[in-house]
Amino acid sequence: MIAWLGMYDRPELHEVHDRYWALIRAQLGDGPEALTRGGDPWELWQSPDLLFAQTCGMPYRTRLHGHATLVGTPDYGLPGCPPGNYCSVLVARGEDDRDLPTLLAEGSFAYNEGGSQSGWAAPVTWFLDQDLRPARGLKTGGHALSARAVAEGRADLAAIDAMTWTLLREHDRATDALREVVRTPPTPGLPYITAATRDPAPIAAAIRAAIEALDPADRAALHLQGLVTIPAADYLAVPTPPGPEEILPSV
């Protein structure tokens, strides 16, 4: 069996996530002793051996729906977002006072990858609604890498998952050089999933009990407020914009 929490598992949080998983496993009475770290997320998410993992909303609606089962969505208490929702934070360098249209027209937009809800789909959907689009793009492979690209001057604007941005502000001093430009409208957050053949109800119950049982310091480190139920239809209703190859002239 596979348990994977790689979406927000920064090195500083490995031990906290290990304790969180141990509590879930104890409630379930089953599961692997240790979280899986490394490997191809797509293979893990689609494995028939998957017991518990976290994915992103865009992969769920575009490829995983029907091949994996929603368990529930963690609520991180993000400002301006309903429980279980999140948004993208658009960031620029602190000394760069250009407004968003100018940043997009004159600069380079850093994004983690075209299959990401917060790194690509949410900001690009919002850009297009405002009749804006990036003039140039830089694919970085990760939210932290996007933030660092802006801090180092290799890009001018980046879209960061709001929860990742919270963790970066706590653990990565490079973000001290950045400022928030705007936040996109909220969408359903990163859900927990299990294999399509598994009953999600016992897993959801185990997660809720584990969150309650977490040491307050661990709960605070993970920003966990609880587990909410967001219907699959809400995830499937989120717009999917054109990909980078259709939007960015440099791709």
Side-chain angles (χ1 to χ4, degrees), residues 165-204:
W165 176 243
T166 297
L167 295 175
L168 286 172
R169 297 289 285 174
E170 292 176 350
H171 300 290
D172 189 340
R173 295 302 302 272
T175 60
D176 292 348
L178 304 179
R179 66 176 177 91
E180 289 192 25
V181 177
V182 71
R183 293 189 175 217
T184 64
T187 56
L190 278 64
Y192 293 145
I193 58 172
T194 189
T197 55
R198 296 189 186 276
D199 179 1
I203 304 171

PDB file of all heavy atoms in Angstrom, residues 165-204:
ATOM      1  N   TRP A 165       2.788  29.442  -0.545  1.00  0.00           N
ATOM      2  CA  TRP A 165       3.273  30.785  -0.240  1.00  0.00           C
ATOM      3  C   TRP A 165       3.367  30.987   1.272  1.00  0.00           C
ATOM      4  O   TRP A 165       4.342  31.549   1.778  1.00  0.00           O
ATOM      5  CB  TRP A 165       2.355  31.810  -0.879  1.00  0.00           C
ATOM      6  CG  TRP A 165       2.664  33.240  -0.571  1.00  0.00           C
ATOM      7  CD1 TRP A 165       1.859  34.132   0.096  1.00  0.00           C
ATOM      8  CD2 TRP A 165       3.844  33.974  -0.928  1.00  0.00           C
ATOM      9  NE1 TRP A 165       2.457  35.356   0.178  1.00  0.00           N
ATOM     10  CE2 TRP A 165       3.681  35.300  -0.450  1.00  0.00           C
ATOM     11  CE3 TRP A 165       5.012  33.654  -1.608  1.00  0.00           C
ATOM     12  CZ2 TRP A 165       4.645  36.289  -0.623  1.00  0.00           C
ATOM     13  CZ3 TRP A 165       5.980  34.636  -1.787  1.00  0.00           C
ATOM     14  CH2 TRP A 165       5.797  35.931  -1.296  1.00  0.00           C
ATOM     15  N   THR A 166       2.376  30.513   2.006  1.00  0.00           N
ATOM     16  CA  THR A 166       2.417  30.606   3.468  1.00  0.00           C
ATOM     17  C   THR A 166       3.643  29.889   4.020  1.00  0.00           C
ATOM     18  O   THR A 166       4.372  30.420   4.874  1.00  0.00           O
ATOM     19  CB  THR A 166       1.142  29.999   4.076  1.00  0.00           C
ATOM     20  OG1 THR A 166       0.010  30.756   3.636  1.00  0.00           O
ATOM     21  CG2 THR A 166       1.182  30.013   5.597  1.00  0.00           C
ATOM     22  N   LEU A 167       3.905  28.680   3.516  1.00  0.00           N
ATOM     23  CA  LEU A 167       5.051  27.901   3.999  1.00  0.00           C
ATOM     24  C   LEU A 167       6.369  28.532   3.564  1.00  0.00           C
ATOM     25  O   LEU A 167       7.352  28.532   4.327  1.00  0.00           O
ATOM     26  CB  LEU A 167       4.952  26.459   3.495  1.00  0.00           C
ATOM     27  CG  LEU A 167       3.764  25.657   4.024  1.00  0.00           C
ATOM     28  CD1 LEU A 167       3.705  24.286   3.351  1.00  0.00           C
ATOM     29  CD2 LEU A 167       3.834  25.496   5.543  1.00  0.00           C
ATOM     30  N   LEU A 168       6.413  29.072   2.350  1.00  0.00           N
ATOM     31  CA  LEU A 168       7.632  29.744   1.897  1.00  0.00           C
ATOM     32  C   LEU A 168       7.947  30.943   2.787  1.00  0.00           C
ATOM     33  O   LEU A 168       9.109  31.180   3.139  1.00  0.00           O
ATOM     34  CB  LEU A 168       7.481  30.206   0.452  1.00  0.00           C
ATOM     35  CG  LEU A 168       7.545  29.122  -0.633  1.00  0.00           C
ATOM     36  CD1 LEU A 168       7.177  29.710  -1.988  1.00  0.00           C
ATOM     37  CD2 LEU A 168       8.920  28.482  -0.690  1.00  0.00           C
ATOM     38  N   ARG A 169       6.924  31.695   3.153  1.00  0.00           N
ATOM     39  CA  ARG A 169       7.143  32.859   4.014  1.00  0.00           C
ATOM     40  C   ARG A 169       7.672  32.445   5.384  1.00  0.00           C
ATOM     41  O   ARG A 169       8.388  33.202   6.043  1.00  0.00           O
ATOM     42  CB  ARG A 169       5.834  33.640   4.179  1.00  0.00           C
ATOM     43  CG  ARG A 169       5.282  34.213   2.885  1.00  0.00           C
ATOM     44  CD  ARG A 169       6.097  35.355   2.347  1.00  0.00           C
ATOM     45  NE  ARG A 169       5.884  36.591   3.097  1.00  0.00           N
ATOM     46  CZ  ARG A 169       6.569  37.703   2.898  1.00  0.00           C
ATOM     47  NH1 ARG A 169       7.524  37.742   1.976  1.00  0.00           N
ATOM     48  NH2 ARG A 169       6.321  38.792   3.601  1.00  0.00           N
ATOM     49  N   GLU A 170       7.347  31.233   5.802  1.00  0.00           N
ATOM     50  CA  GLU A 170       7.809  30.738   7.099  1.00  0.00           C
ATOM     51  C   GLU A 170       9.203  30.124   7.030  1.00  0.00           C
ATOM     52  O   GLU A 170       9.948  30.176   8.018  1.00  0.00           O
ATOM     53  CB  GLU A 170       6.832  29.698   7.639  1.00  0.00           C
ATOM     54  CG  GLU A 170       5.475  30.264   8.020  1.00  0.00           C
ATOM     55  CD  GLU A 170       4.485  29.204   8.456  1.00  0.00           C
ATOM     56  OE1 GLU A 170       4.778  27.996   8.291  1.00  0.00           O
ATOM     57  OE2 GLU A 170       3.408  29.578   8.936  1.00  0.00           O
ATOM     58  N   HIS A 171       9.562  29.540   5.887  1.00  0.00           N
ATOM     59  CA  HIS A 171      10.763  28.713   5.833  1.00  0.00           C
ATOM     60  C   HIS A 171      11.808  29.139   4.809  1.00  0.00           C
ATOM     61  O   HIS A 171      12.907  28.577   4.808  1.00  0.00           O
ATOM     62  CB  HIS A 171      10.373  27.259   5.540  1.00  0.00           C
ATOM     63  CG  HIS A 171       9.470  26.639   6.558  1.00  0.00           C
ATOM     64  ND1 HIS A 171       9.890  26.328   7.834  1.00  0.00           N
ATOM     65  CD2 HIS A 171       8.164  26.282   6.486  1.00  0.00           C
ATOM     66  CE1 HIS A 171       8.886  25.801   8.505  1.00  0.00           C
ATOM     67  NE2 HIS A 171       7.827  25.756   7.721  1.00  0.00           N
ATOM     68  N   ASP A 172      11.511  30.087   3.938  1.00  0.00           N
ATOM     69  CA  ASP A 172      12.437  30.434   2.853  1.00  0.00           C
ATOM     70  C   ASP A 172      12.653  31.941   2.855  1.00  0.00           C
ATOM     71  O   ASP A 172      11.789  32.704   2.439  1.00  0.00           O
ATOM     72  CB  ASP A 172      11.868  29.972   1.512  1.00  0.00           C
ATOM     73  CG  ASP A 172      12.869  30.106   0.367  1.00  0.00           C
ATOM     74  OD1 ASP A 172      13.838  30.878   0.514  1.00  0.00           O
ATOM     75  OD2 ASP A 172      12.674  29.455  -0.671  1.00  0.00           O
ATOM     76  N   ARG A 173      13.829  32.381   3.275  1.00  0.00           N
ATOM     77  CA  ARG A 173      14.104  33.810   3.388  1.00  0.00           C
ATOM     78  C   ARG A 173      14.168  34.512   2.029  1.00  0.00           C
ATOM     79  O   ARG A 173      14.062  35.744   1.958  1.00  0.00           O
ATOM     80  CB  ARG A 173      15.422  34.034   4.141  1.00  0.00           C
ATOM     81  CG  ARG A 173      15.402  33.577   5.597  1.00  0.00           C
ATOM     82  CD  ARG A 173      14.299  34.276   6.386  1.00  0.00           C
ATOM     83  NE  ARG A 173      14.424  35.719   6.373  1.00  0.00           N
ATOM     84  CZ  ARG A 173      15.149  36.408   7.261  1.00  0.00           C
ATOM     85  NH1 ARG A 173      15.794  35.767   8.228  1.00  0.00           N
ATOM     86  NH2 ARG A 173      15.201  37.730   7.190  1.00  0.00           N
ATOM     87  N   ALA A 174      14.316  33.753   0.949  1.00  0.00           N
ATOM     88  CA  ALA A 174      14.335  34.374  -0.379  1.00  0.00           C
ATOM     89  C   ALA A 174      13.029  35.103  -0.664  1.00  0.00           C
ATOM     90  O   ALA A 174      13.001  36.080  -1.422  1.00  0.00           O
ATOM     91  CB  ALA A 174      14.596  33.326  -1.458  1.00  0.00           C
ATOM     92  N   THR A 175      11.942  34.647  -0.039  1.00  0.00           N
ATOM     93  CA  THR A 175      10.657  35.297  -0.287  1.00  0.00           C
ATOM     94  C   THR A 175      10.554  36.656   0.396  1.00  0.00           C
ATOM     95  O   THR A 175       9.610  37.411   0.121  1.00  0.00           O
ATOM     96  CB  THR A 175       9.497  34.393   0.179  1.00  0.00           C
ATOM     97  OG1 THR A 175       9.625  34.129   1.583  1.00  0.00           O
ATOM     98  CG2 THR A 175       9.492  33.082  -0.584  1.00  0.00           C
ATOM     99  N   ASP A 176      11.500  36.986   1.261  1.00  0.00           N
ATOM    100  CA  ASP A 176      11.485  38.317   1.879  1.00  0.00           C
ATOM    101  C   ASP A 176      11.603  39.415   0.829  1.00  0.00           C
ATOM    102  O   ASP A 176      11.194  40.561   1.065  1.00  0.00           O
ATOM    103  CB  ASP A 176      12.626  38.460   2.886  1.00  0.00           C
ATOM    104  CG  ASP A 176      12.457  37.584   4.113  1.00  0.00           C
ATOM    105  OD1 ASP A 176      11.349  37.033   4.297  1.00  0.00           O
ATOM    106  OD2 ASP A 176      13.424  37.447   4.887  1.00  0.00           O
ATOM    107  N   ALA A 177      12.192  39.067  -0.322  1.00  0.00           N
ATOM    108  CA  ALA A 177      12.394  40.059  -1.385  1.00  0.00           C
ATOM    109  C   ALA A 177      11.149  40.245  -2.251  1.00  0.00           C
ATOM    110  O   ALA A 177      11.172  41.061  -3.171  1.00  0.00           O
ATOM    111  CB  ALA A 177      13.564  39.634  -2.267  1.00  0.00           C
ATOM    112  N   LEU A 178      10.082  39.479  -1.968  1.00  0.00           N
ATOM    113  CA  LEU A 178       8.904  39.485  -2.832  1.00  0.00           C
ATOM    114  C   LEU A 178       7.732  40.210  -2.188  1.00  0.00           C
ATOM    115  O   LEU A 178       7.648  40.320  -0.965  1.00  0.00           O
ATOM    116  CB  LEU A 178       8.499  38.044  -3.160  1.00  0.00           C
ATOM    117  CG  LEU A 178       9.570  37.167  -3.806  1.00  0.00           C
ATOM    118  CD1 LEU A 178       9.039  35.766  -4.038  1.00  0.00           C
ATOM    119  CD2 LEU A 178      10.067  37.789  -5.106  1.00  0.00           C
ATOM    120  N   ARG A 179       6.834  40.684  -3.048  1.00  0.00           N
ATOM    121  CA  ARG A 179       5.587  41.285  -2.579  1.00  0.00           C
ATOM    122  C   ARG A 179       4.409  40.627  -3.283  1.00  0.00           C
ATOM    123  O   ARG A 179       4.539  40.115  -4.404  1.00  0.00           O
ATOM    124  CB  ARG A 179       5.565  42.789  -2.877  1.00  0.00           C
ATOM    125  CG  ARG A 179       5.530  43.137  -4.363  1.00  0.00           C
ATOM    126  CD  ARG A 179       5.421  44.643  -4.609  1.00  0.00           C
ATOM    127  NE  ARG A 179       5.455  44.970  -6.035  1.00  0.00           N
ATOM    128  CZ  ARG A 179       4.369  45.072  -6.813  1.00  0.00           C
ATOM    129  NH1 ARG A 179       3.152  44.871  -6.296  1.00  0.00           N
ATOM    130  NH2 ARG A 179       4.487  45.377  -8.094  1.00  0.00           N
ATOM    131  N   GLU A 180       3.279  40.623  -2.621  1.00  0.00           N
ATOM    132  CA  GLU A 180       2.058  40.148  -3.257  1.00  0.00           C
ATOM    133  C   GLU A 180       1.515  41.223  -4.189  1.00  0.00           C
ATOM    134  O   GLU A 180       1.429  42.386  -3.822  1.00  0.00           O
ATOM    135  CB  GLU A 180       0.994  39.809  -2.213  1.00  0.00           C
ATOM    136  CG  GLU A 180       1.292  38.568  -1.404  1.00  0.00           C
ATOM    137  CD  GLU A 180       0.082  38.117  -0.587  1.00  0.00           C
ATOM    138  OE1 GLU A 180      -1.069  38.433  -0.987  1.00  0.00           O
ATOM    139  OE2 GLU A 180       0.285  37.462   0.434  1.00  0.00           O
ATOM    140  N   VAL A 181       1.129  40.796  -5.394  1.00  0.00           N
ATOM    141  CA  VAL A 181       0.504  41.700  -6.352  1.00  0.00           C
ATOM    142  C   VAL A 181      -1.015  41.578  -6.271  1.00  0.00           C
ATOM    143  O   VAL A 181      -1.736  42.573  -6.168  1.00  0.00           O
ATOM    144  CB  VAL A 181       0.994  41.403  -7.788  1.00  0.00           C
ATOM    145  CG1 VAL A 181       0.295  42.291  -8.814  1.00  0.00           C
ATOM    146  CG2 VAL A 181       2.508  41.563  -7.878  1.00  0.00           C
ATOM    147  N   VAL A 182      -1.502  40.358  -6.319  1.00  0.00           N
ATOM    148  CA  VAL A 182      -2.940  40.102  -6.258  1.00  0.00           C
ATOM    149  C   VAL A 182      -3.147  38.620  -5.957  1.00  0.00           C
ATOM    150  O   VAL A 182      -2.224  37.808  -6.155  1.00  0.00           O
ATOM    151  CB  VAL A 182      -3.625  40.507  -7.594  1.00  0.00           C
ATOM    152  CG1 VAL A 182      -3.256  39.533  -8.711  1.00  0.00           C
ATOM    153  CG2 VAL A 182      -5.131  40.626  -7.448  1.00  0.00           C
ATOM    154  N   ARG A 183      -4.334  38.273  -5.480  1.00  0.00           N
ATOM    155  CA  ARG A 183      -4.727  36.875  -5.293  1.00  0.00           C
ATOM    156  C   ARG A 183      -5.898  36.567  -6.222  1.00  0.00           C
ATOM    157  O   ARG A 183      -6.790  37.395  -6.394  1.00  0.00           O
ATOM    158  CB  ARG A 183      -5.113  36.592  -3.837  1.00  0.00           C
ATOM    159  CG  ARG A 183      -3.925  36.700  -2.888  1.00  0.00           C
ATOM    160  CD  ARG A 183      -4.257  36.218  -1.488  1.00  0.00           C
ATOM    161  NE  ARG A 183      -3.051  36.241  -0.645  1.00  0.00           N
ATOM    162  CZ  ARG A 183      -2.775  35.337   0.282  1.00  0.00           C
ATOM    163  NH1 ARG A 183      -3.619  34.338   0.520  1.00  0.00           N
ATOM    164  NH2 ARG A 183      -1.660  35.423   0.983  1.00  0.00           N
ATOM    165  N   THR A 184      -5.886  35.362  -6.791  1.00  0.00           N
ATOM    166  CA  THR A 184      -6.964  34.960  -7.691  1.00  0.00           C
ATOM    167  C   THR A 184      -8.191  34.544  -6.874  1.00  0.00           C
ATOM    168  O   THR A 184      -8.087  34.293  -5.672  1.00  0.00           O
ATOM    169  CB  THR A 184      -6.526  33.781  -8.569  1.00  0.00           C
ATOM    170  OG1 THR A 184      -6.274  32.643  -7.741  1.00  0.00           O
ATOM    171  CG2 THR A 184      -5.280  34.119  -9.380  1.00  0.00           C
ATOM    172  N   PRO A 185      -9.355  34.446  -7.513  1.00  0.00           N
ATOM    173  CA  PRO A 185     -10.531  33.934  -6.815  1.00  0.00           C
ATOM    174  C   PRO A 185     -10.287  32.510  -6.316  1.00  0.00           C
ATOM    175  O   PRO A 185      -9.559  31.737  -6.933  1.00  0.00           O
ATOM    176  CB  PRO A 185     -11.624  33.969  -7.886  1.00  0.00           C
ATOM    177  CG  PRO A 185     -11.169  35.011  -8.859  1.00  0.00           C
ATOM    178  CD  PRO A 185      -9.681  34.899  -8.889  1.00  0.00           C
ATOM    179  N   PRO A 186     -10.902  32.124  -5.169  1.00  0.00           N
ATOM    180  CA  PRO A 186     -10.684  30.787  -4.613  1.00  0.00           C
ATOM    181  C   PRO A 186     -11.272  29.689  -5.491  1.00  0.00           C
ATOM    182  O   PRO A 186     -12.272  29.886  -6.193  1.00  0.00           O
ATOM    183  CB  PRO A 186     -11.409  30.839  -3.263  1.00  0.00           C
ATOM    184  CG  PRO A 186     -11.590  32.291  -2.963  1.00  0.00           C
ATOM    185  CD  PRO A 186     -11.712  32.972  -4.287  1.00  0.00           C
ATOM    186  N   THR A 187     -10.629  28.538  -5.429  1.00  0.00           N
ATOM    187  CA  THR A 187     -11.150  27.305  -6.022  1.00  0.00           C
ATOM    188  C   THR A 187     -10.928  26.178  -5.018  1.00  0.00           C
ATOM    189  O   THR A 187     -10.162  26.324  -4.064  1.00  0.00           O
ATOM    190  CB  THR A 187     -10.439  26.962  -7.349  1.00  0.00           C
ATOM    191  OG1 THR A 187      -9.025  26.881  -7.124  1.00  0.00           O
ATOM    192  CG2 THR A 187     -10.720  27.992  -8.415  1.00  0.00           C
ATOM    193  N   PRO A 188     -11.600  25.016  -5.199  1.00  0.00           N
ATOM    194  CA  PRO A 188     -11.397  23.908  -4.266  1.00  0.00           C
ATOM    195  C   PRO A 188      -9.927  23.530  -4.130  1.00  0.00           C
ATOM    196  O   PRO A 188      -9.186  23.488  -5.113  1.00  0.00           O
ATOM    197  CB  PRO A 188     -12.217  22.773  -4.892  1.00  0.00           C
ATOM    198  CG  PRO A 188     -13.308  23.479  -5.628  1.00  0.00           C
ATOM    199  CD  PRO A 188     -12.652  24.717  -6.186  1.00  0.00           C
ATOM    200  N   GLY A 189      -9.508  23.280  -2.901  1.00  0.00           N
ATOM    201  CA  GLY A 189      -8.112  23.029  -2.603  1.00  0.00           C
ATOM    202  C   GLY A 189      -7.648  21.631  -2.961  1.00  0.00           C
ATOM    203  O   GLY A 189      -8.366  20.837  -3.579  1.00  0.00           O
ATOM    204  N   LEU A 190      -6.425  21.338  -2.560  1.00  0.00           N
ATOM    205  CA  LEU A 190      -5.781  20.073  -2.922  1.00  0.00           C
ATOM    206  C   LEU A 190      -6.424  18.918  -2.144  1.00  0.00           C
ATOM    207  O   LEU A 190      -6.281  18.841  -0.925  1.00  0.00           O
ATOM    208  CB  LEU A 190      -4.276  20.132  -2.630  1.00  0.00           C
ATOM    209  CG  LEU A 190      -3.403  20.804  -3.693  1.00  0.00           C
ATOM    210  CD1 LEU A 190      -3.742  22.278  -3.846  1.00  0.00           C
ATOM    211  CD2 LEU A 190      -1.934  20.622  -3.386  1.00  0.00           C
ATOM    212  N   PRO A 191      -7.115  18.007  -2.837  1.00  0.00           N
ATOM    213  CA  PRO A 191      -7.860  16.969  -2.123  1.00  0.00           C
ATOM    214  C   PRO A 191      -6.999  15.754  -1.772  1.00  0.00           C
ATOM    215  O   PRO A 191      -5.978  15.477  -2.415  1.00  0.00           O
ATOM    216  CB  PRO A 191      -8.930  16.569  -3.133  1.00  0.00           C
ATOM    217  CG  PRO A 191      -8.252  16.735  -4.462  1.00  0.00           C
ATOM    218  CD  PRO A 191      -7.352  17.956  -4.293  1.00  0.00           C
ATOM    219  N   TYR A 192      -7.431  15.046  -0.750  1.00  0.00           N
ATOM    220  CA  TYR A 192      -6.920  13.718  -0.473  1.00  0.00           C
ATOM    221  C   TYR A 192      -7.702  12.723  -1.324  1.00  0.00           C
ATOM    222  O   TYR A 192      -8.928  12.842  -1.492  1.00  0.00           O
ATOM    223  CB  TYR A 192      -7.096  13.355   0.993  1.00  0.00           C
ATOM    224  CG  TYR A 192      -6.268  14.148   1.976  1.00  0.00           C
ATOM    225  CD1 TYR A 192      -6.786  14.474   3.236  1.00  0.00           C
ATOM    226  CD2 TYR A 192      -4.974  14.563   1.690  1.00  0.00           C
ATOM    227  CE1 TYR A 192      -6.034  15.185   4.167  1.00  0.00           C
ATOM    228  CE2 TYR A 192      -4.215  15.276   2.600  1.00  0.00           C
ATOM    229  CZ  TYR A 192      -4.758  15.585   3.843  1.00  0.00           C
ATOM    230  OH  TYR A 192      -4.011  16.285   4.763  1.00  0.00           O
ATOM    231  N   ILE A 193      -7.001  11.729  -1.866  1.00  0.00           N
ATOM    232  CA  ILE A 193      -7.621  10.711  -2.705  1.00  0.00           C
ATOM    233  C   ILE A 193      -7.186   9.326  -2.248  1.00  0.00           C
ATOM    234  O   ILE A 193      -6.206   9.165  -1.517  1.00  0.00           O
ATOM    235  CB  ILE A 193      -7.267  10.891  -4.197  1.00  0.00           C
ATOM    236  CG1 ILE A 193      -5.743  10.848  -4.405  1.00  0.00           C
ATOM    237  CG2 ILE A 193      -7.862  12.181  -4.737  1.00  0.00           C
ATOM    238  CD1 ILE A 193      -5.320  10.817  -5.883  1.00  0.00           C
ATOM    239  N   THR A 194      -7.919   8.325  -2.713  1.00  0.00           N
ATOM    240  CA  THR A 194      -7.543   6.936  -2.540  1.00  0.00           C
ATOM    241  C   THR A 194      -7.849   6.210  -3.845  1.00  0.00           C
ATOM    242  O   THR A 194      -8.436   6.789  -4.764  1.00  0.00           O
ATOM    243  CB  THR A 194      -8.294   6.297  -1.352  1.00  0.00           C
ATOM    244  OG1 THR A 194      -7.734   4.995  -1.077  1.00  0.00           O
ATOM    245  CG2 THR A 194      -9.791   6.146  -1.627  1.00  0.00           C
ATOM    246  N   ALA A 195      -7.443   4.950  -3.943  1.00  0.00           N
ATOM    247  CA  ALA A 195      -7.701   4.182  -5.163  1.00  0.00           C
ATOM    248  C   ALA A 195      -9.204   4.055  -5.400  1.00  0.00           C
ATOM    249  O   ALA A 195     -10.009   4.065  -4.459  1.00  0.00           O
ATOM    250  CB  ALA A 195      -7.064   2.793  -5.055  1.00  0.00           C
ATOM    251  N   ALA A 196      -9.581   3.933  -6.660  1.00  0.00           N
ATOM    252  CA  ALA A 196     -10.998   3.891  -7.032  1.00  0.00           C
ATOM    253  C   ALA A 196     -11.735   2.729  -6.385  1.00  0.00           C
ATOM    254  O   ALA A 196     -12.953   2.788  -6.187  1.00  0.00           O
ATOM    255  CB  ALA A 196     -11.129   3.818  -8.550  1.00  0.00           C
ATOM    256  N   THR A 197     -11.010   1.685  -6.041  1.00  0.00           N
ATOM    257  CA  THR A 197     -11.645   0.488  -5.475  1.00  0.00           C
ATOM    258  C   THR A 197     -11.848   0.568  -3.967  1.00  0.00           C
ATOM    259  O   THR A 197     -12.471  -0.312  -3.385  1.00  0.00           O
ATOM    260  CB  THR A 197     -10.788  -0.746  -5.783  1.00  0.00           C
ATOM    261  OG1 THR A 197      -9.450  -0.519  -5.292  1.00  0.00           O
ATOM    262  CG2 THR A 197     -10.726  -1.008  -7.286  1.00  0.00           C
ATOM    263  N   ARG A 198     -11.335   1.611  -3.313  1.00  0.00           N
ATOM    264  CA  ARG A 198     -11.407   1.695  -1.852  1.00  0.00           C
ATOM    265  C   ARG A 198     -12.586   2.545  -1.392  1.00  0.00           C
ATOM    266  O   ARG A 198     -12.996   3.497  -2.053  1.00  0.00           O
ATOM    267  CB  ARG A 198     -10.105   2.278  -1.291  1.00  0.00           C
ATOM    268  CG  ARG A 198      -8.883   1.417  -1.524  1.00  0.00           C
ATOM    269  CD  ARG A 198      -7.681   1.952  -0.751  1.00  0.00           C
ATOM    270  NE  ARG A 198      -6.479   1.227  -1.072  1.00  0.00           N
ATOM    271  CZ  ARG A 198      -6.127   0.075  -0.493  1.00  0.00           C
ATOM    272  NH1 ARG A 198      -6.893  -0.438   0.449  1.00  0.00           N
ATOM    273  NH2 ARG A 198      -5.010  -0.540  -0.851  1.00  0.00           N
ATOM    274  N   ASP A 199     -13.085   2.199  -0.215  1.00  0.00           N
ATOM    275  CA  ASP A 199     -14.128   2.980   0.440  1.00  0.00           C
ATOM    276  C   ASP A 199     -13.468   4.182   1.104  1.00  0.00           C
ATOM    277  O   ASP A 199     -12.624   4.014   1.988  1.00  0.00           O
ATOM    278  CB  ASP A 199     -14.839   2.111   1.484  1.00  0.00           C
ATOM    279  CG  ASP A 199     -15.937   2.854   2.225  1.00  0.00           C
ATOM    280  OD1 ASP A 199     -16.183   4.045   1.927  1.00  0.00           O
ATOM    281  OD2 ASP A 199     -16.562   2.241   3.116  1.00  0.00           O
ATOM    282  N   PRO A 200     -13.830   5.404   0.727  1.00  0.00           N
ATOM    283  CA  PRO A 200     -13.158   6.561   1.313  1.00  0.00           C
ATOM    284  C   PRO A 200     -13.613   6.905   2.731  1.00  0.00           C
ATOM    285  O   PRO A 200     -12.908   7.630   3.436  1.00  0.00           O
ATOM    286  CB  PRO A 200     -13.519   7.692   0.346  1.00  0.00           C
ATOM    287  CG  PRO A 200     -14.844   7.281  -0.208  1.00  0.00           C
ATOM    288  CD  PRO A 200     -14.791   5.784  -0.321  1.00  0.00           C
ATOM    289  N   ALA A 201     -14.768   6.410   3.144  1.00  0.00           N
ATOM    290  CA  ALA A 201     -15.337   6.837   4.431  1.00  0.00           C
ATOM    291  C   ALA A 201     -14.440   6.515   5.628  1.00  0.00           C
ATOM    292  O   ALA A 201     -14.209   7.395   6.476  1.00  0.00           O
ATOM    293  CB  ALA A 201     -16.720   6.231   4.618  1.00  0.00           C
ATOM    294  N   PRO A 202     -13.907   5.279   5.757  1.00  0.00           N
ATOM    295  CA  PRO A 202     -13.032   5.019   6.908  1.00  0.00           C
ATOM    296  C   PRO A 202     -11.764   5.856   6.885  1.00  0.00           C
ATOM    297  O   PRO A 202     -11.243   6.225   7.946  1.00  0.00           O
ATOM    298  CB  PRO A 202     -12.708   3.520   6.776  1.00  0.00           C
ATOM    299  CG  PRO A 202     -13.722   2.958   5.865  1.00  0.00           C
ATOM    300  CD  PRO A 202     -14.119   4.073   4.952  1.00  0.00           C
ATOM    301  N   ILE A 203     -11.269   6.166   5.698  1.00  0.00           N
ATOM    302  CA  ILE A 203     -10.051   6.974   5.597  1.00  0.00           C
ATOM    303  C   ILE A 203     -10.346   8.396   6.045  1.00  0.00           C
ATOM    304  O   ILE A 203      -9.571   9.002   6.800  1.00  0.00           O
ATOM    305  CB  ILE A 203      -9.503   6.938   4.163  1.00  0.00           C
ATOM    306  CG1 ILE A 203      -9.265   5.493   3.713  1.00  0.00           C
ATOM    307  CG2 ILE A 203      -8.210   7.743   4.053  1.00  0.00           C
ATOM    308  CD1 ILE A 203      -8.937   5.337   2.241  1.00  0.00           C
ATOM    309  N   ALA A 204     -11.475   8.948   5.592  1.00  0.00           N
ATOM    310  CA  ALA A 204     -11.856  10.299   6.011  1.00  0.00           C
ATOM    311  C   ALA A 204     -12.031  10.365   7.526  1.00  0.00           C
ATOM    312  O   ALA A 204     -11.590  11.326   8.173  1.00  0.00           O
ATOM    313  CB  ALA A 204     -13.131  10.730   5.302  1.00  0.00           C
TER     314      ALA A 204
END
